[in-house]
Amino acid sequence: MQIPGTLAALDQVHPVFYLAPAGGIAALITAFLFARSVMAKPEGEPEMVSIAQAVREGAMAYLARQYKVVALVFAALILVLFVLAGLGLQPRLSIVGVPIAGFFSGLCGWFGMRMATNASARTAFAAKQSLNDGLTVAFRSGAVMGMVVVGFALIDASAWFLILNALDIPGLSDVGAITTVMLSFAMGASTQALFARVGGGIYTKAADVGADLVGKVEAGIPEDDPRNPATIADNVGDNVGDVAGMGADLYESYYGSILATLALGAAAAFSLALPAAQETRLAFLLAVAPLALAGLGIFCSIAGVFAVRAREGATFAQLLNSLHLGVWTASALIAVGSLGLLYALFGTSVLGPEVRSPVSWLGLWGAILAGLAAGLVIAKATEYYTSYEHPPTRRIALQAHTGPATVIIAGIAEGMKSTWAALLTIVVAILAAFIFAGGNDNFLMGLYGVSLAAVGMLSTLGITLATDAYGPIADNAGGNAEMSGQPPHVRQRTDMLDSLGNTTAATGKGFAIGSAALTALALFAAYIQVVQSQLNSQAIAFIDRGAYTAPEGVKNYAVYQGHRTFALVFEGEEDGGGRVVEGGMLIDPDRLVEVGSETSDGAAVDWTGVPRGQVFPIVRASSEPMVDARRVTCRITAGHGDHSHTFEFELVSAKTGTIGDVLDFYDVSLTNPRVLGGLFLGVLLTFLFCALTMSAVGRAAYSMMRECRRQFGKMREAFRKQGMTPEQVADPEQWPRRIEHEGVQYPDYATCVVISTAGAQREMVVPALLAIIVPIAVGLLLSVPGVVGLLAGGLTSGFAVAVFMANAGGAWDNAKKLLESYGRISAEGFLGDPAARDKVPAELHGPLTARAEELVAAGKGSAIVYGKGSDDHKATVVGDTVGDPFKDTSGPSLNILIKLISIVAVVFAGLTVKYGPVLADMLGLH
């Protein structure tokens, strides 16, 4: 048995661990090969290339500006971490690990968006040749994003694991300490992700709302029409929001779930009361499992990508099944492969000959399957509630016949209804994973199972993110085809790919939300572990400062630190006769037993009056050796009138105590007003965050709409000067694609891009900082109970609201797409063409017949009664406009919010443990 903390500690790393770095490298190589194959495709005609270049320049310029803002935030964050490290409240390695994680997250967004903007014109040109060619180019481009995300995240995590176990770093003497430090690194990925999601969401929706409301509704011009001033900004927004933003979102879920599982696995191993050598060995195995599982998942995802094919003339359902086949292939492979992986780790005599492992490899496999199945179920439920192939979205489209108000009502109702599927699935997955992993016998093993379920759900992220990133690429391809005036069959194919992309994007959002819930729960459990660790480390620091007088002749004693915390000192208990120090918790200050009597005779100890540094002898422990005891008994002498009493009181070790002991110490229960206060603050944070991001979109969209109206006014003025009749000016179909007026080329796309960029940069800062500041403030004012309440309230409310907003927004969007899929059905066409009439839902035949007959009688037979351009379509456009910030800004940003507040709580746990009780006492919250 080698000693952890040296190069020899690497002997404890099971060979299957190397699946992790191998998988990460394979992912990056695959991404490079896919990128090269896509770039080898022709970009198309000069006009297609020119449009793609404009989108590319706008997207990369925005991303460069965003990264400058985020860099300033990280600089401030590093400074704060440096101060905390100087105070001994945060490991110094966080100063390095946090920005590195943020850098890799930003790098993923950069590479992914670069690929997406290079792929749009190539997808459109490939679709001109065949549907399968267009699907292949778009999907392989999306796969670049998926592979880059899992590759960088896994290489980062596995490299840190190897490096920290190979070096002899003070304070990181075992795998438990190492994984706890690594967990704090996830803050970098979460911070970068929130800025990417919020900023990208504000950008894309400001442009989208302007393109829809002013372009489609007011001017009657499609959003992708080259005469729409906001169309380039809209296409840029699709990339910065749905590619870079979603990539950063899932990067931090993937990275955070792996690190949380590492920390919980090591902690679970040390709670099983095994001999030291076996304890360390099992800790390494439990830590290796999520890394190896993620590595295996990458190879399965690569196989799944190659399974995606589409035949020419395929229907929407067939295209969707083609993408599903890739996901199902990867899921089936990981389900089988993980069985062998877990057997290799836990199914043999890994702890030594004739030693039965306390971990069930079949149970852990059940936990992985629970997470994997939950992801697929949530994705399927999201597809059901958002795809126009299914009744919920069709019901919203039918409501458009009575105007935008009923469209909005129906969308909100369907979105609220849809939450049952995700919530129930997550509850079942949590309970199943907890039980399968052995949570009934060991609570920490149950939490480890839940965390492993999150890794299982995200193990095939390489392909699930590919199906998501594919969506905006197909959308941009459709815009490119429209703007460059491609033949109708090209637009027809790209529209089908775009509609498919809407569904896969909605599915991806559902998957992201589900994984966020499991990851946040894992981080929630990890927070308690870190609090427990901080109680120990702060006790050690207290003794090292020497702010007490060691008693003579007393071998074991407890030193009071204040606020019912102690430092337990065991002299000569360590191998070689050294001193061992660990934290102690006084859980029940009123439980005193008078020496020589069974009652306290009314006497009590005023702990607020006990000076810090006072020493109490430890007289016995709940087990031997005393240093391994969970409970120790100390003696105190307290005055009572003109005499004194000697009492015995019990302390619980922060090192060997359970999570339940920590929760009891801080009175984490619904009867504690600090917990209730934190719960309400968590719910408030969810709604306040949504309000801020929605308002930000509204303000940015207002500026965009005002600019679009100004440009349309200038364009009409120019058309009249060129001699166009009032009828021609009133018909956007007769407008030229470009026109010069007063020395400016209209539409002026660049100005709209600048408006969206400036709006996003300005508006993203406050919501993002709110997610960082609130957990710190709650920790200082309400201490650990308040933070636990905040995390619980934020997770439950944020998860439900995120599902509601994402599904309602997706359904509104696809209700609009459904109307557009019917084409333009005129009054004359509806009455005289049975084929056109049969496209329309049977429920609307009666009302539309009456409307069409009135229009024909009035000499307006060419007026549109259904489909694109109709009043029904305009009503769905309004619904989609409401849904845009729902599904692309506030909803998906909540995924990151619930994880970021958890990881911020973890990183600043030392500050909360040290100063939270002090400020709570000042507020009278004892």
Side-chain angles (χ1 to χ4, degrees):
M1 182 70 191
Q2 303 288 355
I3 301 171
T6 68
L7 286 171
L10 295 182
D11 292 345
Q12 300 294 324
V13 178
H14 195 283
V16 300
F17 162 79
Y18 295 99
L19 275 172
I25 293 169
L28 295 182
I29 292 172
T30 303
F32 172 76
L33 294 176
F34 281 164
R36 193 169 67 172
S37 70
V38 170
M39 294 300 290
K41 303 288 184 183
E43 198 164 8
E45 299 154 10
E47 183 68 11
M48 300 172 80
V49 175
S50 174
I51 293 165
Q53 181 63 23
V55 173
R56 186 158 48 246
E57 289 175 357
M60 302 317 289
Y62 166 78
L63 209 57
R65 287 187 59 176
Q66 183 189 73
Y67 287 171
K68 289 178 182 177
V69 174
V70 176
L72 294 176
V73 174
F74 268 94
L77 187 59
I78 291 169
L79 180 61
V80 172
L81 292 175
F82 184 81
V83 172
L84 290 178
L87 294 172
L89 302 177
Q90 183 65 36
R92 287 182 172 82
L93 273 172
S94 297
I95 302 171
V96 180
V98 168
I100 287 178
F103 172 75
F104 277 130
S105 178
L107 203 59
C108 289
W110 184 272
F111 283 136
M113 199 160 75
R114 191 80 185 176
M115 187 71 255
T117 53
N118 278 320
S120 59
R122 289 176 168 84
T123 301
F125 191 70
K128 194 171 185 177
Q129 320 310 316
S130 77
L131 182 64
N132 184 56
D133 286 352
L135 175 65
T136 301
V137 171
F139 186 68
R140 294 285 170 86
S141 303
V144 171
M145 183 66 174
M147 293 301 164
V148 166
V149 163
V150 296
F152 278 131
L154 201 49
I155 286 174
D156 184 18
S158 57
W160 276 118
F161 187 75
L162 276 178
I163 291 169
L164 296 184
N165 278 293
L167 299 179
D168 189 7
I169 301 176
L172 300 181
S173 58
D174 60 56
V175 68
I178 287 169
T179 53
T180 300
V181 169
M182 286 177 62
L183 181 59
S184 66
F185 300 169
M187 185 178 178
S190 295
T191 302
Q192 164 63 29
L194 191 62
F195 276 98
R197 230 346 168 178
V198 173
I202 294 170
Y203 185 111
T204 184
K205 292 306 108 184
D208 207 359
V209 168
D212 276 356
L213 286 186
V214 181
K216 286 185 178 179
V217 177
E218 295 182 12
I221 296 177
E223 58 185 313
D224 290 327
D225 192 289
R227 291 161 291 197
N228 192 329
T231 190
I232 292 292
D234 186 21
N235 280 274
V236 171
D238 288 337
N239 290 287
V240 299
D242 292 336
V243 177
M246 176 61 82
D249 180 352
L250 285 168
Y251 179 96
E252 64 102 22
S253 277
Y254 186 76
Y255 189 68
S257 67
I258 291 173
L259 296 185
T261 311
L262 287 173
L264 287 174
F270 291 123
S271 71
L272 292 173
L274 296 170
Q278 295 173 9
E279 195 175 62
T280 301
R281 177 65 173 163
L282 185 60
F284 269 99
L285 293 175
L286 290 173
V288 161
L291 290 165
L293 178 64
L296 179 63
I298 289 177
F299 291 106
C300 297
S301 296
I302 293 171
V305 169
F306 285 103
V308 175
R309 292 284 190 277
R311 62 178 178 81
E312 193 56 41
T315 64
F316 179 87
Q318 289 169 332
L319 282 175
L320 192 57
N321 285 335
S322 176
L323 289 181
H324 282 167
L325 178 62
V327 176
W328 294 334
T329 298
S331 299
L333 289 172
I334 194 67
V336 175
S338 60
L339 181 63
L341 187 152
L342 291 173
Y343 179 77
L345 284 171
F346 305 105
T348 57
S349 299
V350 293
L351 300 183
E354 300 180 359
V355 178
R356 184 176 178 272
S357 172
V359 175
S360 167
W361 62 277
L362 278 175
L364 293 182
W365 187 56
I368 291 172
L369 292 185
L372 196 61
L376 295 174
V377 170
I378 291 174
K380 192 67 179 176
T382 305
E383 178 192 321
Y384 175 79
Y385 278 102
T386 57
S387 171
Y388 64 59
E389 295 283 306
H390 301 292
T393 297
R394 289 183 171 271
R395 286 195 291 265
I396 296 172
L398 285 176
Q399 294 293 330
H401 194 66
T402 51
T406 48
V407 168
I408 292 171
I409 292 170
I412 289 175
E414 295 294 347
M416 288 181 170
K417 190 193 304 180
S418 72
T419 58
W420 76 269
L423 289 167
L424 188 59
T425 299
I426 286 297
V427 169
V428 171
I430 288 170
L431 294 177
F434 185 86
I435 294 169
F436 286 147
N440 289 330
D441 298 322
N442 184 283
F443 186 68
L444 272 176
M445 278 305 303
L447 293 178
Y448 176 75
V450 174
S451 190
L452 197 62
V455 179
M457 181 185 285
L458 290 164
S459 60
T460 56
L461 182 61
I463 187 168
T464 51
L465 182 52
T467 62
D468 193 296
Y470 149 88
I473 293 170
D475 190 6
N476 269 213
N480 191 292
E482 178 78 27
M483 294 179 69
S484 60
Q486 295 302 306
H489 78 274
V490 179
R491 181 65 193 193
Q492 185 179 9
R493 288 170 180 166
T494 57
D495 276 350
M496 184 172 287
L497 294 176
D498 183 19
S499 297
L500 181 64
N502 278 333
T503 300
T504 58
T507 302
K509 289 182 178 70
F511 186 83
I513 293 167
S515 66
L518 288 180
T519 302
L521 185 64
L523 290 170
F524 181 88
Y527 172 69
I528 305 300
Q529 282 296 120
V530 174
V531 166
Q532 189 171 357
S533 174
Q534 280 292 330
L535 287 169
N536 263 313
S537 62
Q538 292 186 23
I540 294 170
F542 184 83
I543 295 300
D544 288 345
R545 287 195 298 270
Y548 72 102
T549 301
E552 293 184 9
V554 179
K555 187 176 180 182
N556 303 311
Y557 51 91
V559 183
Y560 189 58
Q561 295 177 256
H563 303 99
R564 296 188 294 115
T565 62
F566 292 77
L568 307 181
V569 182
F570 303 97
E571 299 285 359
E573 290 280 353
E574 193 178 53
D575 291 343
R579 183 173 66 180
V580 176
V581 180
E582 56 192 57
M585 301 175 287
L586 178 62
I587 293 178
D588 188 354
D590 297 324
R591 187 180 176 186
L592 300 169
V593 178
E594 185 171 1
V595 176
S597 172
E598 295 183 358
T599 65
S600 64
D601 194 28
V605 175
D606 179 14
W607 288 102
T608 60
V610 175
R612 297 179 68 198
Q614 183 165 333
V615 177
F616 305 94
I618 297 175
V619 294
R620 63 180 177 275
S622 58
S623 68
E624 293 295 337
M626 192 173 284
V627 72
D628 294 329
R630 179 183 165 204
R631 295 175 182 272
V632 297
T633 302
C634 302
R635 281 188 177 173
I636 182 174
T637 300
H640 184 211
D642 58 355
H643 61 285
S644 62
H645 296 261
T646 299
F647 298 100
E648 291 185 351
F649 61 94
E650 196 173 63
L651 300 177
V652 177
S653 167
K655 182 178 180 181
T656 57
T658 65
I659 283 184
D661 292 330
V662 178
L663 296 178
D664 285 344
F665 174 67
Y666 284 107
D667 187 23
V668 178
S669 68
L670 292 179
T671 59
N672 187 338
R674 286 186 285 180
V675 176
L676 285 174
L679 277 169
F680 282 111
L681 288 174
V683 176
L684 170 63
L685 181 60
T686 294
F687 284 91
L688 180 59
F689 183 83
C690 288
L692 289 172
T693 50
M694 294 279 285
S695 297
V697 170
R699 286 190 294 270
Y702 172 75
S703 299
M704 181 66 70
M705 291 169 67
R706 188 170 57 184
E707 174 61 20
C708 288
R709 285 173 179 152
R710 184 193 71 81
Q711 290 199 34
F712 278 131
K714 292 290 186 181
M715 291 160 69
R716 292 188 183 99
E717 185 180 318
F719 298 152
R720 285 190 287 269
K721 285 187 176 181
Q722 283 194 350
M724 291 177 66
T725 65
E727 291 77 14
Q728 290 174 319
V729 173
D731 182 9
E733 294 293 329
Q734 299 187 48
W735 291 4
R737 295 165 68 90
R738 302 281 289 174
I739 191 168
E740 185 171 337
H741 181 61
E742 297 176 347
V744 178
Q745 281 283 338
Y746 288 102
D748 177 9
Y749 305 128
T751 299
C752 291
V753 169
V754 169
I755 288 173
S756 263
T757 301
Q761 298 296 318
R762 182 176 60 252
E763 300 284 359
M764 73 178 181
V765 176
V766 173
L769 290 181
L770 186 71
I772 298 173
I773 293 171
V774 167
I776 300 172
V778 170
L780 290 174
L781 295 176
L782 300 181
S783 192
V784 172
V787 175
V788 171
L790 177 78
L791 300 185
L795 170 58
T796 52
S797 64
F799 179 51
V801 173
V803 173
F804 154 62
M805 298 185 88
N807 287 353
W812 273 318
D813 190 359
N814 278 329
K816 176 196 71 176
K817 286 285 192 294
L818 177 61
L819 266 293
E820 292 174 347
S821 71
Y822 296 131
R824 297 175 183 270
I825 302 176
S826 66
E828 291 173 343
F830 183 79
L831 296 174
D833 184 356
R837 187 167 57 252
D838 289 344
K839 290 182 181 179
V840 178
E843 298 93 328
L844 297 179
H845 281 189
L848 287 180
T849 298
R851 183 190 294 178
E853 288 174 347
E854 288 178 6
L855 289 169
V856 170
K860 299 179 180 178
S862 61
I864 305 301
V865 294
Y866 205 68
K868 188 180 289 188
S870 66
D871 289 341
D872 295 56
H873 178 236
K874 290 179 180 179
T876 60
V877 170
V878 174
D880 179 41
T881 303
V882 175
D884 276 338
F886 266 48
K887 69 181 176 65
D888 289 326
T889 307
S890 300
S893 295
L894 284 173
N895 307 341
I896 306 166
L897 176 75
I898 62 179
K899 289 171 290 185
L900 182 57
I901 60 174
S902 299
I903 198 64
V904 169
V906 167
V907 171
F908 290 91
L911 194 69
T912 299
V913 169
K914 187 171 183 66
Y915 296 109
V918 177
L919 294 176
D921 279 353
M922 292 173 63
L923 295 172
L925 297 169
H926 300 293

